[in-house]
PDB file of all heavy atoms in Angstrom:
ATOM      1  N   ASN A 124      36.085 -17.237 -35.494  1.00  0.00           N
ATOM      2  CA  ASN A 124      35.163 -17.068 -34.353  1.00  0.00           C
ATOM      3  C   ASN A 124      34.726 -15.627 -34.202  1.00  0.00           C
ATOM      4  O   ASN A 124      33.551 -15.352 -33.952  1.00  0.00           O
ATOM      5  CB  ASN A 124      35.821 -17.535 -33.046  1.00  0.00           C
ATOM      6  CG  ASN A 124      36.016 -19.037 -33.052  1.00  0.00           C
ATOM      7  OD1 ASN A 124      35.326 -19.754 -33.779  1.00  0.00           O
ATOM      8  ND2 ASN A 124      36.965 -19.519 -32.273  1.00  0.00           N
ATOM      9  N   LEU A 125      35.685 -14.715 -34.386  1.00  0.00           N
ATOM     10  CA  LEU A 125      35.364 -13.281 -34.285  1.00  0.00           C
ATOM     11  C   LEU A 125      34.319 -12.903 -35.318  1.00  0.00           C
ATOM     12  O   LEU A 125      33.349 -12.202 -35.028  1.00  0.00           O
ATOM     13  CB  LEU A 125      36.623 -12.449 -34.565  1.00  0.00           C
ATOM     14  CG  LEU A 125      37.546 -12.138 -33.416  1.00  0.00           C
ATOM     15  CD1 LEU A 125      38.809 -11.437 -33.930  1.00  0.00           C
ATOM     16  CD2 LEU A 125      36.825 -11.224 -32.423  1.00  0.00           C
ATOM     17  N   TYR A 126      34.534 -13.370 -36.539  1.00  0.00           N
ATOM     18  CA  TYR A 126      33.619 -13.015 -37.638  1.00  0.00           C
ATOM     19  C   TYR A 126      32.220 -13.567 -37.380  1.00  0.00           C
ATOM     20  O   TYR A 126      31.217 -12.874 -37.545  1.00  0.00           O
ATOM     21  CB  TYR A 126      34.176 -13.538 -38.965  1.00  0.00           C
ATOM     22  CG  TYR A 126      33.610 -12.793 -40.168  1.00  0.00           C
ATOM     23  CD1 TYR A 126      33.966 -11.476 -40.404  1.00  0.00           C
ATOM     24  CD2 TYR A 126      32.726 -13.405 -41.057  1.00  0.00           C
ATOM     25  CE1 TYR A 126      33.458 -10.777 -41.495  1.00  0.00           C
ATOM     26  CE2 TYR A 126      32.218 -12.710 -42.150  1.00  0.00           C
ATOM     27  CZ  TYR A 126      32.592 -11.404 -42.372  1.00  0.00           C
ATOM     28  OH  TYR A 126      32.085 -10.713 -43.448  1.00  0.00           O
ATOM     29  N   GLU A 127      32.184 -14.810 -36.938  1.00  0.00           N
ATOM     30  CA  GLU A 127      30.902 -15.450 -36.644  1.00  0.00           C
ATOM     31  C   GLU A 127      30.164 -14.686 -35.526  1.00  0.00           C
ATOM     32  O   GLU A 127      28.958 -14.429 -35.627  1.00  0.00           O
ATOM     33  CB  GLU A 127      31.157 -16.902 -36.225  1.00  0.00           C
ATOM     34  CG  GLU A 127      29.930 -17.752 -36.116  1.00  0.00           C
ATOM     35  CD  GLU A 127      29.219 -17.992 -37.461  1.00  0.00           C
ATOM     36  OE1 GLU A 127      29.887 -17.986 -38.517  1.00  0.00           O
ATOM     37  OE2 GLU A 127      27.997 -18.168 -37.438  1.00  0.00           O
ATOM     38  N   ASN A 128      30.905 -14.288 -34.508  1.00  0.00           N
ATOM     39  CA  ASN A 128      30.283 -13.543 -33.404  1.00  0.00           C
ATOM     40  C   ASN A 128      29.784 -12.185 -33.857  1.00  0.00           C
ATOM     41  O   ASN A 128      28.726 -11.723 -33.418  1.00  0.00           O
ATOM     42  CB  ASN A 128      31.266 -13.384 -32.237  1.00  0.00           C
ATOM     43  CG  ASN A 128      31.457 -14.706 -31.520  1.00  0.00           C
ATOM     44  OD1 ASN A 128      30.590 -15.585 -31.582  1.00  0.00           O
ATOM     45  ND2 ASN A 128      32.593 -14.878 -30.877  1.00  0.00           N
ATOM     46  N   LEU A 129      30.549 -11.551 -34.761  1.00  0.00           N
ATOM     47  CA  LEU A 129      30.125 -10.246 -35.279  1.00  0.00           C
ATOM     48  C   LEU A 129      28.803 -10.367 -36.042  1.00  0.00           C
ATOM     49  O   LEU A 129      27.915  -9.529 -35.908  1.00  0.00           O
ATOM     50  CB  LEU A 129      31.188  -9.708 -36.241  1.00  0.00           C
ATOM     51  CG  LEU A 129      32.274  -8.850 -35.644  1.00  0.00           C
ATOM     52  CD1 LEU A 129      33.351  -8.591 -36.680  1.00  0.00           C
ATOM     53  CD2 LEU A 129      31.684  -7.524 -35.157  1.00  0.00           C
ATOM     54  N   ILE A 130      28.681 -11.426 -36.841  1.00  0.00           N
ATOM     55  CA  ILE A 130      27.435 -11.633 -37.596  1.00  0.00           C
ATOM     56  C   ILE A 130      26.284 -11.792 -36.610  1.00  0.00           C
ATOM     57  O   ILE A 130      25.200 -11.233 -36.796  1.00  0.00           O
ATOM     58  CB  ILE A 130      27.525 -12.871 -38.516  1.00  0.00           C
ATOM     59  CG1 ILE A 130      28.609 -12.693 -39.574  1.00  0.00           C
ATOM     60  CG2 ILE A 130      26.174 -13.151 -39.190  1.00  0.00           C
ATOM     61  CD1 ILE A 130      28.916 -13.947 -40.381  1.00  0.00           C
ATOM     62  N   ARG A 131      26.540 -12.511 -35.542  1.00  0.00           N
ATOM     63  CA  ARG A 131      25.500 -12.740 -34.536  1.00  0.00           C
ATOM     64  C   ARG A 131      25.134 -11.437 -33.815  1.00  0.00           C
ATOM     65  O   ARG A 131      23.977 -11.134 -33.611  1.00  0.00           O
ATOM     66  CB  ARG A 131      25.992 -13.779 -33.526  1.00  0.00           C
ATOM     67  CG  ARG A 131      24.963 -14.885 -33.328  1.00  0.00           C
ATOM     68  CD  ARG A 131      25.565 -16.034 -32.573  1.00  0.00           C
ATOM     69  NE  ARG A 131      26.227 -16.969 -33.452  1.00  0.00           N
ATOM     70  CZ  ARG A 131      27.214 -17.786 -33.073  1.00  0.00           C
ATOM     71  NH1 ARG A 131      27.675 -17.762 -31.853  1.00  0.00           N
ATOM     72  NH2 ARG A 131      27.729 -18.639 -33.925  1.00  0.00           N
ATOM     73  N   GLU A 132      26.163 -10.654 -33.483  1.00  0.00           N
ATOM     74  CA  GLU A 132      25.910  -9.412 -32.724  1.00  0.00           C
ATOM     75  C   GLU A 132      25.270  -8.336 -33.575  1.00  0.00           C
ATOM     76  O   GLU A 132      24.349  -7.658 -33.139  1.00  0.00           O
ATOM     77  CB  GLU A 132      27.241  -8.842 -32.186  1.00  0.00           C
ATOM     78  CG  GLU A 132      27.722  -9.513 -30.930  1.00  0.00           C
ATOM     79  CD  GLU A 132      29.204  -9.230 -30.692  1.00  0.00           C
ATOM     80  OE1 GLU A 132      29.720  -8.198 -31.179  1.00  0.00           O
ATOM     81  OE2 GLU A 132      29.847 -10.062 -30.032  1.00  0.00           O
ATOM     82  N   ARG A 133      25.796  -8.142 -34.767  1.00  0.00           N
ATOM     83  CA  ARG A 133      25.313  -7.040 -35.617  1.00  0.00           C
ATOM     84  C   ARG A 133      24.149  -7.467 -36.500  1.00  0.00           C
ATOM     85  O   ARG A 133      23.466  -6.650 -37.079  1.00  0.00           O
ATOM     86  CB  ARG A 133      26.454  -6.500 -36.508  1.00  0.00           C
ATOM     87  CG  ARG A 133      27.682  -6.024 -35.764  1.00  0.00           C
ATOM     88  CD  ARG A 133      27.497  -4.687 -35.077  1.00  0.00           C
ATOM     89  NE  ARG A 133      26.900  -3.654 -35.898  1.00  0.00           N
ATOM     90  CZ  ARG A 133      27.549  -2.661 -36.489  1.00  0.00           C
ATOM     91  NH1 ARG A 133      28.845  -2.562 -36.361  1.00  0.00           N
ATOM     92  NH2 ARG A 133      26.918  -1.748 -37.191  1.00  0.00           N
ATOM     93  N   GLY A 134      23.946  -8.764 -36.637  1.00  0.00           N
ATOM     94  CA  GLY A 134      22.892  -9.300 -37.492  1.00  0.00           C
ATOM     95  C   GLY A 134      21.548  -9.270 -36.816  1.00  0.00           C
ATOM     96  O   GLY A 134      21.396  -8.584 -35.796  1.00  0.00           O
ATOM     97  N   PRO A 135      20.542  -9.951 -37.290  1.00  0.00           N
ATOM     98  CA  PRO A 135      20.659 -10.828 -38.443  1.00  0.00           C
ATOM     99  C   PRO A 135      20.788 -10.050 -39.762  1.00  0.00           C
ATOM    100  O   PRO A 135      20.357  -8.905 -39.846  1.00  0.00           O
ATOM    101  CB  PRO A 135      19.337 -11.611 -38.421  1.00  0.00           C
ATOM    102  CG  PRO A 135      18.375 -10.714 -37.732  1.00  0.00           C
ATOM    103  CD  PRO A 135      19.178  -9.944 -36.738  1.00  0.00           C
ATOM    104  N   ILE A 136      21.388 -10.695 -40.722  1.00  0.00           N
ATOM    105  CA  ILE A 136      21.508 -10.114 -42.057  1.00  0.00           C
ATOM    106  C   ILE A 136      20.099 -10.027 -42.652  1.00  0.00           C
ATOM    107  O   ILE A 136      19.358 -11.006 -42.646  1.00  0.00           O
ATOM    108  CB  ILE A 136      22.452 -10.990 -42.920  1.00  0.00           C
ATOM    109  CG1 ILE A 136      23.882 -10.916 -42.364  1.00  0.00           C
ATOM    110  CG2 ILE A 136      22.400 -10.570 -44.388  1.00  0.00           C
ATOM    111  CD1 ILE A 136      24.870 -11.884 -42.994  1.00  0.00           C
ATOM    112  N   ASP A 137      19.724  -8.835 -43.129  1.00  0.00           N
ATOM    113  CA  ASP A 137      18.380  -8.662 -43.691  1.00  0.00           C
ATOM    114  C   ASP A 137      18.264  -9.302 -45.067  1.00  0.00           C
ATOM    115  O   ASP A 137      17.251  -9.911 -45.388  1.00  0.00           O
ATOM    116  CB  ASP A 137      18.038  -7.161 -43.788  1.00  0.00           C
ATOM    117  CG  ASP A 137      17.877  -6.546 -42.420  1.00  0.00           C
ATOM    118  OD1 ASP A 137      16.906  -6.917 -41.732  1.00  0.00           O
ATOM    119  OD2 ASP A 137      18.728  -5.721 -42.005  1.00  0.00           O
ATOM    120  N   ILE A 138      19.284  -9.091 -45.881  1.00  0.00           N
ATOM    121  CA  ILE A 138      19.259  -9.695 -47.223  1.00  0.00           C
ATOM    122  C   ILE A 138      20.685 -10.073 -47.590  1.00  0.00           C
ATOM    123  O   ILE A 138      21.608  -9.282 -47.397  1.00  0.00           O
ATOM    124  CB  ILE A 138      18.613  -8.734 -48.254  1.00  0.00           C
ATOM    125  CG1 ILE A 138      18.423  -9.413 -49.604  1.00  0.00           C
ATOM    126  CG2 ILE A 138      19.400  -7.437 -48.421  1.00  0.00           C
ATOM    127  CD1 ILE A 138      17.444  -8.696 -50.539  1.00  0.00           C
ATOM    128  N   LEU A 139      20.850 -11.289 -48.060  1.00  0.00           N
ATOM    129  CA  LEU A 139      22.179 -11.786 -48.409  1.00  0.00           C
ATOM    130  C   LEU A 139      22.167 -12.203 -49.873  1.00  0.00           C
ATOM    131  O   LEU A 139      21.302 -12.979 -50.296  1.00  0.00           O
ATOM    132  CB  LEU A 139      22.546 -12.965 -47.503  1.00  0.00           C
ATOM    133  CG  LEU A 139      23.914 -13.594 -47.708  1.00  0.00           C
ATOM    134  CD1 LEU A 139      24.531 -13.969 -46.377  1.00  0.00           C
ATOM    135  CD2 LEU A 139      23.844 -14.832 -48.564  1.00  0.00           C
TER     136      LEU A 139
END
Side-chain angles (χ1 to χ4, degrees):
N124 292 337
L125 273 174
Y126 202 70
E127 190 66 29
N128 287 336
L129 270 171
I130 297 171
R131 230 168 273 155
E132 279 162 25
R133 303 285 312 258
I136 293 172
D137 292 293
I138 187 163
L139 181 141

